[in-house]
């Protein structure tokens, strides 16, 4: 039997005297933290590129390359000069012999010795390889891809969300890293978690070390090195269920620290002075040819409190921007990277909303957006969603309480990669209740862990829910627990007959 990281943490807590159990405990020195992290299975690449490499935010002719120098990943300060020169190169071959772009950038102590290189002048829809060099050392070679243009026959992408480190192993990322048919990865948030039984993150150094611990997982590093990522965030990158900026100064300082550490550790494209830290604009719009447009939402930074008649989850500026995007859409599949559930979720027939931290806490705005989207003729609309640690497939309607309100799209809510879901007994009891209380809900499965793999063609949008055989085992086999399709021009998803016999706690059409 394999022990997961949570079991190890619990065992250390039970032992009491083992104060050095959790590598992010306040006041722990780098050496003890390193040993504690190794006890949880962490390992890093050779210094100074311990945290690996990544690429992100592909455009047709540009991609952002990322690395962060951290010779002592869990130390408060790095044994580096304030500015370190980092050389980079992009090649069309993995041996890095056919270099098409190269340069040097400064890694500054002010941004944790991270670098974000926007490489321009690349060819659309092409694979590239890249590598960094600094202090006489070379990084591993990463692989990336630019966005395609024109009439594309297919796009394949994976979504990830909710990867609590101590809750399990990243076997899904192992599969993503090995799948060379994937064009890009979308991360829907809860990349790090701010809290364990043994400590909570508050300062820039706290959050930096959390990111460094997570990137001590070789499978996470491999998934970054294998594909370009588009990322958004949810709450746990800062703190559970936080809302916007309407809080006191200590919270704003904490949020700024968390946002900065997140930026430092991700392949993010943030351009322009008006989008800079500590409150970067991360909502954005990206396109893969005529086939797919990706609307990346930020549902945390600008939100008001929940359950207000004039509340907002988007903020006024992002809301107008989203309506403009819908109005100016390309005509391909219109996809939202949506960190938290969009559809309505009542606990049962006539029951209340289960969680108002999700879009259910912002009813007026949701209804307004979906009503105006429908009026604008939005079709072929799919939302890929995280947060819930369980899988849902549901129809999207402007008015969820009115079954004659038209279906205008589909929401796929993915399993978490590791973060704990409800118990199997809770899922068994509540799956049928949720189905009965939510006529738009097609499917619910809460007992598994994994990621969603999407295959998009001009005719069809397909979601494969990939799940691990054992959350505690990084080498565990992955399999498909359910496959769903949406046909172009016809709103509403249907399950592939091949998976209808596999276990789930609710199916509207068994
Ligand atoms: Fe989560």
């Amino acid at each position: 039997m394999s022990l997961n990281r949570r079991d190890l943490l619990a065992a250390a807590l039970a032992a009491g005297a083992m104060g050095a159990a959790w590598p992010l405990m306040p006041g722990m020195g780098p050496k003890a933290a390193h040993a504690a992290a190794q006890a949880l299975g962490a390992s890093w690449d050779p210094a100074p590129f311990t945290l690996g490499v990544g690429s992100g935010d592909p455009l047709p002719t540009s991609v952002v390359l990322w690395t962060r120098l951290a010779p002592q990943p869990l130390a408060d300060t790095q044994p580096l000069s304030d500015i370190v020169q980092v050389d980079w190169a992009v090649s069309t071959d993995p041996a890095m012999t056919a270099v098409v772009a190269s340069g040097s950038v400064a890694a500054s102590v002010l941004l944790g010795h991270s670098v974000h290189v926007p490489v321009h002048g690349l060819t659309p829809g092409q694979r590239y390889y890249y590598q960094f060099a600094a202090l006489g050392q070379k990084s591993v070679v990463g692989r990336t891809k630019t966005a395609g243009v024109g009439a594309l026959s297919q796009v394949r992408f994976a979504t990830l969300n909710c990867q609590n480190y101590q809750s399990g192993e990243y076997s899904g990322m192992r599969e993503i890293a090995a799948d060379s048919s994937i064009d890009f990865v979308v991360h829907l948030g809860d990349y790090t978690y701010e809290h364990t039984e043994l400590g909570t993150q508050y300062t820039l150094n706290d959050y930096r070390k959390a990111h460094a611990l997570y990137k001590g997982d070789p499978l996470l590093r491999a998934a970054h090195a294998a594909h370009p990522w588009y990322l958004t965030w949810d709450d746990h990158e800062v703190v559970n269920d936080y809302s916007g900026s309407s809080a006191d100064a200590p919270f704003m300082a904490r949020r700024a620290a968390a946002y900065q550490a997140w930026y430092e550790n991700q392949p993010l494209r943030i351009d322009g002075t008006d989008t800079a830290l500590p409150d970067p604009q991360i909502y954005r719009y990206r396109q893969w040819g005529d086939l797919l447009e990706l609307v990346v939402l930020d549902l945390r930074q600008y939100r008001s409190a929940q359950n207000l008649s004039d509340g907002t989850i988007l903020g006024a500026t992002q809301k107008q921007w989203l309506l403009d995007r819908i109005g100016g859409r390309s005509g391909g599949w219109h996809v939202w990277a949506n960190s938290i559930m969009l559809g309505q979720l009542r606990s049962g027939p006539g029951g209340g909303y289960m969680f108002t931290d999700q879009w259910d806490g912002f009813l007026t705005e949701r209804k307004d957006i979906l009503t105006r989207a429908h009026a604008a003729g939005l079709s072929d609309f799919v939302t890929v969603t995280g947060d819930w640690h369980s899988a849902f497939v549901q129809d999207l309607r402007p008015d969820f309480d009115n079954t004659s309100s038209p279906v205008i799209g589909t929401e796929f809510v993915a399993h978490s990669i590791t973060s704990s879901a409800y118990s199997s007994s809770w899922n068994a009891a509540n799956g049928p209740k949720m189905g009965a209380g939510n006529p738009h809900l097609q499917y619910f499965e809460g007992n598994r862990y994994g990621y969603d793999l999407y295959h998009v063609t001009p005719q069809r949008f397909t979601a494969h829910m990939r799940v691990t055989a054992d959350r505690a085992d990084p080498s565990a086999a992955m399999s498909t627990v359910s496959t769903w399709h949406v046909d172009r021009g016809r709103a509403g998803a249907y399950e592939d007959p091949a998976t209808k016999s596999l276990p789930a706690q609710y199916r509207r059409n068994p």
Side-chain angles (χ1 to χ4, degrees):
M1 190 193 83
S2 50
L3 284 176
N4 69 24
R5 294 159 172 165
R6 174 163 290 284
D7 298 330
L8 291 168
L9 185 61
L13 271 173
M18 283 185 62
W22 177 243
L24 305 181
M25 274 180 69
M28 188 183 279
K31 213 170 166 184
H34 200 276
Q38 282 185 314
L40 294 175
S43 64
W44 289 274
D45 285 347
F49 298 104
T50 49
L51 309 182
V53 302
S55 71
D57 228 323
L59 301 171
T61 61
S62 176
V63 70
V64 172
L65 308 181
W66 167 87
T67 192
R68 180 178 158 232
L69 310 180
Q72 294 184 12
L74 297 178
D76 281 335
T77 56
Q78 296 299 321
L80 295 169
S81 30
D82 285 358
I83 298 286
V84 178
Q85 178 178 323
V86 178
D87 303 323
W88 58 271
V90 175
S91 174
T92 54
D93 70 325
M96 299 300 298
T97 60
V99 172
V100 296
S102 61
S104 293
V105 289
S108 166
V109 68
L110 295 176
L111 285 175
H113 292 98
S114 63
V115 300
H116 300 77
V117 183
V119 181
H120 297 284
L122 302 174
T123 302
Q126 183 166 326
R127 283 221 176 278
Y128 290 99
Y129 299 82
Y130 59 94
Q131 188 173 34
F132 295 97
L135 303 169
Q137 306 295 319
K138 286 186 171 179
S139 74
V140 298
V141 173
R143 182 182 65 183
T144 189
K145 189 172 187 179
T146 47
V149 294
L152 303 180
S153 60
Q154 64 165 342
V155 166
R156 290 169 69 88
F157 69 98
T159 63
L160 285 165
N161 61 270
C162 301
Q163 56 190 48
N164 201 347
Y165 182 83
Q166 73 269 21
S167 297
E169 300 281 350
Y170 299 151
S171 47
M173 298 191 199
R174 186 198 72 233
E175 185 173 77
I176 289 172
D179 187 346
S180 60
S181 73
I182 289 175
D183 293 294
F184 58 88
V185 172
V186 178
H187 201 289
L188 297 165
D190 291 354
Y191 187 103
T192 55
Y193 281 71
E194 80 286 2
H195 177 76
T196 72
E197 295 87 335
L198 291 172
T200 303
Q201 297 144 33
Y202 296 99
T203 67
L204 178 56
N205 272 334
D206 293 343
Y207 286 107
R208 278 178 176 163
K209 285 188 276 188
H211 281 277
L213 174 64
Y214 278 60
K215 285 213 166 74
D217 190 302
L219 299 179
L220 174 59
R221 290 201 305 281
H224 272 291
H227 308 290
W229 289 34
Y230 298 101
L231 293 112
T232 186
W233 51 35
D234 193 27
D235 53 339
H236 287 288
E237 284 86 350
V238 182
V239 63
N240 186 43
D241 285 2
Y242 79 93
S243 286
S245 58
S246 55
D248 55 11
F251 172 76
M252 290 308 291
R254 184 185 187 186
R255 194 187 86 162
Y259 283 7
Q260 179 174 337
W262 183 78
Y263 173 68
E264 289 173 353
N265 286 281
Q266 306 292 11
L268 257 292
R269 184 193 299 272
I270 298 178
D271 299 322
T273 53
D274 61 336
T275 58
L277 297 168
D279 48 0
Q281 180 187 314
I282 66 162
Y283 62 83
R284 58 207 188 276
Y285 169 82
R286 301 291 184 240
Q287 214 167 323
W288 281 68
D290 299 341
L291 185 57
L292 180 152
E293 57 191 2
L294 186 68
V295 176
V296 181
L297 297 176
D298 176 354
L299 302 179
R300 285 291 163 190
Q301 187 171 185
Y302 313 109
R303 63 159 67 188
S304 67
Q306 306 163 20
N307 305 322
L308 303 174
S309 59
D310 60 347
T312 179
I313 194 169
L314 294 164
T317 306
Q318 182 178 204
K319 181 184 176 186
Q320 188 56 51
W321 171 86
L322 177 57
L323 289 167
D324 291 346
R325 287 301 353 140
I326 292 168
R329 68 193 179 281
S330 71
W333 292 96
H334 179 87
V335 182
W336 291 5
N338 172 61
S339 57
I340 196 158
M341 187 182 280
L342 174 61
Q344 179 167 291
L345 187 61
R346 293 190 182 278
S347 57
Y353 301 117
M354 289 189 70
F355 297 105
T356 53
D357 183 64
Q358 56 200 44
W359 283 77
D360 274 345
F362 307 88
L363 296 174
T364 308
E365 185 169 78
R366 178 176 64 193
K367 192 169 186 176
D368 185 38
I369 296 249
L370 296 182
T371 300
R372 288 162 74 169
H374 176 55
L378 180 63
S379 59
D380 306 315
F381 171 37
V382 175
T383 297
V384 295
T385 300
D387 178 60
W388 230 94
H389 307 182
S390 294
F392 296 75
V393 179
Q394 46 195 357
D395 298 331
L396 296 172
R397 291 188 163 118
D399 183 353
F400 289 95
D401 283 326
N402 176 1
T403 52
S404 62
S405 178
V407 175
I408 63 167
T410 294
E411 177 167 42
F412 293 110
V413 182
H415 292 100
S416 60
I417 194 87
T418 55
S419 304
S420 294
Y422 284 113
S423 67
S424 55
S425 58
W426 189 97
N427 292 332
N430 287 279
K433 288 184 196 169
M434 291 190 289
N438 299 280
H440 48 281
L441 178 59
Q442 301 298 327
Y443 176 88
F444 168 73
E445 203 295 317
N447 294 342
R448 307 300 296 270
Y449 297 90
Y451 72 98
D452 277 5
L453 178 66
Y454 294 94
H455 184 205
V456 187
T457 70
Q459 295 79 33
R460 207 156 80 154
F461 196 107
T462 295
H464 301 288
M465 299 173 189
R466 302 287 294 167
V467 296
T468 181
D470 181 357
R471 181 168 54 137
D473 180 1
S475 58
M478 302 292 298
S479 63
T480 296
V481 73
S482 191
T483 293
W484 289 76
H485 308 288
V486 181
D487 290 334
R488 188 72 173 273
R490 200 182 75 185
Y494 59 94
E495 190 172 10
D496 194 295
T499 61
K500 280 201 167 190
S501 62
L502 297 175
Q505 292 81 58
Y506 180 74
R507 265 187 182 86
R508 185 160 301 280
N509 299 301

